[in-house]
Amino acid sequence: MREKLSALMDGELDVADIDGLLAEMKRDVSLNENWYDWHQLSDSMQEHPLLSPQFMERFSARLAAEPTVVAPQRLKRSSVMKKLLIPLTAAASIAFVGVAAWQTQTSFSVAPAMVAVQSVKSVDQKTPAVRAYLAAHSQESGNVLAERDIVYADFGMENLR
Amino acid sequence: MSDLLSRLKPLVLCISLFLPVGAWAAAELNNADAVIVLNRMSAAAKQNDFQGLFTHQHGDSTETFRIVHVGSESLEIERRESLDGPRREYYRKGDQVSVYLPSKRAVSLDRRFSSKLFPQHLPENADFVLLNYRLKKGGMERVAGLNAQIYELEPRDIFRFPLRLWMHTDSGLILKSERLGPYAQPVELFVFSALALGKVDRALLNPVNPLRPVVIESNQGAVSEPVEPAWAIGHLPRGFRFMKSIQRTLVGKEMPVVQHLYSDGLVTVSVFLEPAVAEAKEGASHQGAMHMQVRQINGKMVTVLGEVPAETVKAFAFAFQPR
């Protein structure tokens, strides 16, 4: 089965075998995990950038909001300029993806400051519940000695937009 | 031509801004070497005899613990006690664990996690870790008077934080471990301040507090599928595997809560599933590297907790949909 899975990944599996393999993957959890692990390995080896989880959602929403231009203005530029514009637009879209990826990297280094500012409200009311979750979490992670962290846990709540 | 170049200059500058910059100059190890190093570290923590003092710094708190470990005999024996803060003690003989904790709450441990305390906190499965992290080799540093080689487990994606390890060059024991957080600043630190390797005084293994045994669950670590009739589970952040599901009653809750545990080989994420609570607000919060996300949907509530970035707990929370 593993050889077939590997062949499917490389696009070398016979069409006739694909349905059978897909059915087997639905049945066998470990095959499914292999599939994801191998893809993850190949992605990381080829250094494919990862986008933020909601990237497609936000992108689709913004695309839908763009007005449709029925009659675009004619470019009053020389043909040399036109040739230059094609790689430029390609570069711009690369730069756009770059910005998107870069923003997700920084967004979580900005967020903590916001939390710190907003955590003042209703901390006392919330902490007992948070401590219970924290205690359950650290116990399952094996660190039973972390009680002191739980006692001093001081999570604030940052409201969603 | 020079005109064209000067036109493109801002663009080139702009693109070069997005090129990755190696802030921490270190050589990446290939997979085979990385497996050898990680296995050496975890074997050293199991097989060596040592005693020492280590400090755990987390958030605003700093605590020192005494550790005595015998690993050269057939049965591993280990005793830890806190030297400041509330009295706590941990004693392990093979798979049997006893503890002394200030609170009287019942404690149970999973066999897979029962021996995951510093300096033995590296997982047994190095391959799984290396799917999600790269191992990089840094410089040398002295820790507790001993020579140490610095390594860094650098995440392969945005869903996890880096972990730095200082390995004793002679024994392979981890002398210092530093977890980096949201600003790439250290948020959790374990470090030996004194360490003596070799035969330990057996008297040091005797407990000093009245211990009570801990129930060890005999889950052998088989990865199973989560069974959750009330919830549909969508795409979880990459590299996390379902470990187990527990139903428990939390302090201050009337209804039992279902806790799912996921692991990426190095850190664990807990997902708590329960009916919606009127006073609980939706939102994200964090303390150090520990991030939390609460989400209420169709009369149900998901709470995700783990030492992972905000992105990760959020992705987990949004992967759970009530059926």
Side-chain angles (χ1 to χ4, degrees):
Chain A
M1 254 335 143
R2 302 264 188 279
E3 292 84 51
K4 279 190 181 174
L5 196 65
S6 160
L8 179 65
M9 248 187 95
D10 300 335
E12 287 165 357
L13 190 66
D14 284 347
V15 180
D17 286 347
I18 291 180
D19 280 348
L21 180 62
L22 288 180
E24 186 62 24
M25 275 173 73
K26 271 189 198 146
R27 212 178 51 75
D28 187 354
V29 182
S30 70
L31 269 183
N32 241 323
E33 268 170 13
N34 279 326
W35 177 255
Y36 285 113
D37 287 351
W38 291 350
H39 273 283
Q40 198 181 345
L41 255 184
S42 91
D43 279 359
S44 54
M45 276 173 183
Q46 289 163 25
E47 301 200 325
H48 284 167
L50 285 169
L51 299 171
S52 65
Q54 280 84 37
F55 176 78
M56 249 351 258
E57 244 168 66
R58 285 190 308 228
F59 180 75
S60 305
R62 277 190 57 185
L63 191 65
E66 286 282 325
T68 311
V69 182
V70 180
Q73 246 188 344
R74 189 180 240 185
L75 288 166
K76 288 172 190 150
R77 284 185 183 133
S78 69
S79 59
V80 180
M81 215 30 219
K82 267 188 195 167
K83 274 182 196 152
L84 181 61
L85 268 176
I86 295 164
L88 261 180
T89 47
S93 52
I94 291 168
F96 168 70
V97 174
V99 169
W102 178 71
Q103 280 173 341
T104 59
Q105 295 270 332
T106 43
S107 66
F108 67 79
S109 59
V110 172
M114 291 162 55
V115 178
V117 172
Q118 296 186 8
S119 66
V120 183
K121 65 181 163 211
S122 63
V123 164
D124 298 329
Q125 194 189 341
K126 294 291 176 287
T127 38
V130 174
R131 278 177 203 161
Y133 290 124
L134 206 56
H137 173 77
S138 51
Q139 186 184 328
E140 287 310 324
S141 313
N143 195 3
V144 278
L145 295 181
E147 288 229 327
R148 200 181 183 193
D149 293 336
I150 295 154
V151 172
Y152 288 119
D154 195 18
F155 278 78
M157 297 303 280
E158 175 201 354
N159 290 333
L160 289 179
R161 288 166 293 166
Chain B
M1 196 61 199
S2 65
D3 181 43
L4 185 121
L5 275 178
S6 62
R7 271 168 197 271
L8 285 177
K9 200 178 265 175
L11 186 72
V12 172
L13 273 175
C14 182
I15 289 172
S16 64
L17 275 181
F18 301 115
L19 291 176
V21 180
W24 199 69
E28 187 183 337
L29 272 71
N30 66 41
N31 218 62
D33 290 344
V35 168
I36 292 170
V37 170
L38 293 180
N39 285 343
R40 187 179 175 214
M41 288 178 189
S42 52
K46 282 196 190 87
Q47 293 159 6
N48 275 298
D49 289 4
F50 58 85
Q51 56 141 320
L53 300 174
F54 71 85
T55 300
H56 179 206
Q57 199 179 322
H58 196 190
D60 295 335
S61 81
T62 303
E63 296 169 276
T64 303
F65 294 87
R66 181 194 305 282
I67 180 171
V68 185
H69 182 269
V70 173
S72 60
E73 287 163 32
S74 57
L75 206 58
E76 219 181 318
I77 309 174
E78 180 176 290
R79 190 176 76 85
R80 296 155 184 270
E81 63 168 313
S82 68
L83 298 185
D84 40 33
R87 278 185 186 279
R88 284 145 299 157
E89 193 172 346
Y90 173 99
Y91 183 84
R92 180 166 70 85
K93 192 169 181 179
D95 281 333
Q96 287 175 303
V97 177
S98 336
V99 291
Y100 175 84
L101 295 172
S103 71
K104 289 287 169 272
R105 68 181 164 85
V107 175
S108 71
L109 277 175
D110 191 305
R111 187 156 300 188
R112 277 168 296 172
F113 301 114
S114 63
S115 57
K116 284 302 206 45
L117 303 172
F118 175 83
Q120 216 174 88
H121 57 338
L122 272 188
E124 295 83 62
N125 188 346
D127 293 304
F128 185 24
V129 177
L130 292 168
L131 277 176
N132 298 313
Y133 300 85
R134 300 182 179 91
L135 187 68
K136 289 190 161 183
K137 191 176 180 176
M140 299 283 292
E141 220 170 78
R142 226 162 55 96
V143 180
L146 302 167
N147 289 327
Q149 170 68 54
I150 311 175
Y151 288 99
E152 178 166 319
L153 280 163
E154 183 192 77
R156 291 188 191 269
D157 57 36
I158 58 164
F159 292 123
R160 43 213 112 232
F161 289 131
L163 183 73
R164 277 183 198 162
L165 301 164
W166 281 249
M167 187 194 83
H168 183 209
T169 43
D170 293 350
S171 66
L173 202 67
I174 296 171
L175 300 178
K176 180 175 170 182
S177 162
E178 189 177 77
R179 194 188 296 283
L180 305 183
Y183 294 104
Q185 90 284 28
V187 288
E188 186 176 16
L189 176 76
F190 288 96
V191 59
F192 274 110
S193 45
L195 177 68
L197 282 138
K199 281 268 167 268
V200 299
D201 181 1
R202 304 293 289 201
L204 287 171
L205 283 168
N206 296 335
V208 296
N209 291 298
L211 303 180
R212 61 195 165 106
V214 171
V215 180
I216 298 286
E217 289 158 30
S218 55
N219 190 329
Q220 285 301 314
V223 178
S224 55
E225 274 292 89
V227 181
E228 207 42 72
W231 296 82
I233 305 170
H235 284 290
L236 297 172
R238 282 218 228 174
F240 284 92
R241 283 189 192 164
F242 175 75
M243 302 307 280
K244 69 168 184 173
S245 171
I246 319 120
Q247 200 175 58
R248 55 163 77 235
T249 313
L250 296 184
V251 180
K253 300 259 183 195
E254 287 161 25
M255 299 287 285
V257 173
V258 173
Q259 180 182 5
H260 280 195
L261 209 69
Y262 292 85
S263 171
D264 75 344
L266 205 59
V267 289
T268 50
V269 173
S270 289
V271 178
F272 298 91
L273 304 168
E274 61 195 301
V277 180
E279 69 270 21
K281 282 200 185 109
E282 287 210 337
S285 56
H286 85 119
Q287 186 183 53
M290 186 71 77
H291 282 75
M292 187 166 108
Q293 178 87 37
V294 183
R295 182 169 167 249
Q296 303 226 29
I297 176 167
N298 294 352
K300 294 201 169 68
M301 184 162 87
V302 192
T303 306
V304 187
L305 196 67
E307 290 193 301
V308 290
E311 303 276 335
T312 316
V313 285
K314 195 170 179 185
F316 263 103
F318 281 84
F320 282 77
Q321 290 290 335
R323 277 194 215 273

